[in-house]
Amino acid sequence: MMVESVLCMNPGDGETSYAKNSFLQKTVLSKARPILEDTIKDMFSTALPTCFKLADLGCSSGPNTLLFVSEFVDVVYELCQQLNCKLPEFQVFLNDFNAVFKSLPFLYDKFGKEKRDLYGQHCFITGSFYHRLFPSKSLHFFHSSYSLHWLPKVPEGISNNKGNIYMAKASPPNVFKAYLEQFQKDFSLFLRLRSEEIIQGGRVVLTFIGRSIDDPRSKDCCLYWELLAKSLLDLAAKGLVVEADIHTFNLPYYNPYEGEVREIIKMEGSFDIDKLETFSINWDANDDISNKDFVFEKDQCGRNVANIVRAVAEPMLVSHFGDDIIDELFKRYAEYVGEHL
Ligand SMILES: C[S@@+](CC[C@H](N)C(=O)[O-])C[C@H]1O[C@@H](n2cnc3c(N)ncnc32)[C@H](O)[C@@H]1O
């Protein structure tokens, strides 16, 4: 699977689009806001640049895309009012996979090795945050929300993960090892690249999905995707999906345990951790304690969750299984999720 060409959210603003089904990610952004505020305040205590250069990595497109930017500017604005200082200028960079970048491999193919190395070392045009994106020591602030659990590739050597599409309770031991090693490699790379691009004293705020229990065989880790694999197997039983196609499909995804994240940041060595906080969020983000009008209704909740997962995973599933099965697949999935909830 060419991850870069299929790891994009459902486009447009129709019923199944990411734009219409990203309330969960919006809730995550608001839960992380206190950390953002503290981090900006902390930066202010050392120096205030005349032009703040910041980037949102994996910004997608939809109502959340500019939310981080407006929150960032709001916090700085309020601080400037309190401190009676001049508001800086802001230069904002938004990064995501985009149709323009899909033609990059063709451009690279046209070059010999020497020129290919030029891109990535001197000229930065790439959609993936697992490559250099910015010139050396040029940015003050990096932000990424709900994106870094996506890996740039599916780990190798997991062809025995039959009947599963991610780590699952029934996965063989090598699958857990391969996923962890892939994440270690990719997250370390991400940190190294950002450390080359950030100015001395800059800050990074990252929010991504993790698991609350160290053991990846726990339900907390992988049930979300296990239910999708189960739905695919149901469709195979009905002859709508070829079972062998399920065996060869694995997600380029990893939800680490807190300790794994700490360990990688320490081992990689470019950054110190100021704060590492975890928070939980319900599968159906509408089911929040602050939403007093919420009434649990299993079919509706199942559908809400299925819509969120569909908006994120549909392009990947379509590229492997075709688009004929998608409606039926997510109907099935919504039923399983409703039962589980
Ligand atoms: C679930 S969306 C989150 C979007 C947005 N940050 C939000 O909070 O709503 C994850 C985004 O990360 C992007 N993404 C995943 N891997 C990426 C990579 N290696 N480089 C750039 N973008 C990536 C996907 O294309 C997708 O748009």
Side-chain angles (χ1 to χ4, degrees):
M1 171 165 43
M2 270 280 289
V3 170
E4 305 201 1
S5 55
V6 291
L7 188 46
C8 45
M9 309 296 102
N10 264 352
D13 54 9
E15 279 315 301
T16 60
S17 64
Y18 181 72
K20 281 258 165 73
N21 294 286
S22 46
F23 179 67
L24 178 102
Q25 289 82 350
K26 185 175 178 206
T27 309
V28 168
L29 278 163
S30 66
K31 289 213 175 206
R33 175 157 170 151
I35 294 238
L36 184 68
E37 280 185 25
D38 288 352
T39 310
I40 298 172
K41 279 183 197 153
D42 192 42
M43 268 186 101
F44 260 60
S45 65
T46 44
L48 179 61
T50 46
C51 178
F52 236 122
K53 295 187 182 171
L54 53 139
D56 190 21
L57 308 181
C59 61
S60 197
S61 66
N64 296 350
T65 303
L66 297 173
L67 202 60
F68 153 71
V69 180
S70 66
E71 289 196 339
F72 192 98
V73 175
D74 278 357
V75 175
V76 176
Y77 179 83
E78 277 163 29
L79 270 172
C80 286
Q81 297 247 304
Q82 281 166 23
L83 302 170
N84 203 17
C85 61
K86 199 166 162 255
L87 190 69
E89 292 176 326
F90 297 91
Q91 186 172 26
V92 182
F93 298 89
L94 299 176
N95 151 265
D96 206 283
F97 291 135
N98 168 312
V100 173
F101 303 116
K102 286 185 185 154
S103 54
L104 266 179
F106 304 106
L107 178 75
Y108 291 159
D109 280 349
K110 277 191 0 204
F111 298 143
K113 180 171 176 342
E114 196 182 319
K115 259 203 177 159
R116 206 161 46 229
D117 288 348
L118 204 107
Y119 286 83
Q121 286 171 19
H122 295 271
C123 177
F124 308 112
I125 42 167
T126 164
S128 172
F129 48 58
Y130 293 111
H131 290 107
R132 270 294 292 269
L133 298 167
F134 302 101
S136 305
K137 311 281 167 241
S138 61
L139 263 82
H140 299 94
F141 200 94
F142 283 108
H143 176 259
S144 180
S145 185
Y146 227 75
S147 303
L148 260 169
H149 41 260
W150 290 110
L151 307 173
K153 68 191 284 269
V154 175
E156 281 167 17
I158 57 167
S159 56
N160 57 346
N161 196 27
K162 297 210 163 85
N164 306 308
I165 60 171
Y166 178 50
M167 302 190 298
K169 212 177 168 68
S171 294
N174 65 301
V175 173
F176 297 98
K177 187 166 176 281
Y179 266 107
L180 172 60
E181 285 175 1
Q182 188 68 43
F183 179 73
Q184 285 169 331
K185 187 169 154 238
D186 297 328
F187 188 45
S188 300
L189 174 67
F190 176 90
L191 295 170
R192 181 173 63 71
L193 295 168
R194 300 300 79 84
S195 76
E196 290 167 8
E197 297 165 337
I198 202 162
I199 59 151
Q200 183 74 29
R203 300 288 196 283
V204 181
V205 173
L206 309 173
T207 313
F208 46 89
I209 308 180
R211 56 180 198 272
S212 63
I213 299 171
D214 193 359
D215 182 0
R217 284 177 198 275
S218 69
K219 271 192 186 168
D220 169 67
C221 167
C222 316
L223 189 64
Y224 214 69
W225 299 116
E226 280 182 46
L227 296 180
L228 191 61
K230 200 169 163 189
S231 312
L232 279 164
L233 288 167
D234 285 354
L235 264 53
K238 286 170 90 182
L240 299 173
V241 166
V242 178
E243 194 165 331
D245 286 350
I246 304 174
H247 300 333
T248 54
F249 182 79
N250 285 294
L251 289 164
Y253 172 94
Y254 189 74
N255 51 338
Y257 180 61
E258 179 182 341
E260 292 170 353
V261 175
R262 274 188 196 283
E263 176 85 12
I264 297 169
I265 296 173
K266 201 170 147 210
M267 291 293 288
E268 196 281 329
S270 300
F271 293 97
D272 292 327
I273 302 175
D274 287 336
K275 254 185 206 169
L276 197 159
E277 288 188 11
T278 60
F279 53 85
S280 59
I281 196 152
N282 288 340
W283 282 24
D284 181 0
N286 297 293
D287 175 8
D288 194 282
I289 41 165
S290 59
N291 182 358
K292 294 190 177 58
D293 298 330
F294 180 79
V295 180
F296 177 75
E297 203 275 293
K298 87 172 175 178
D299 294 340
Q300 186 56 50
C301 287
R303 278 197 297 277
N304 291 345
V305 175
N307 288 343
I308 294 168
V309 175
R310 179 172 179 166
V312 170
E314 182 166 347
M316 265 179 288
L317 292 161
V318 167
S319 85
H320 194 83
F321 299 102
D323 52 12
D324 291 349
I325 61 150
I326 299 296
D327 285 342
E328 182 63 22
L329 176 67
F330 282 100
K331 202 167 145 253
R332 204 94 192 143
Y333 182 63
E335 286 163 10
Y336 279 131
V337 171
E339 281 302 325
H340 165 70
L341 291 177

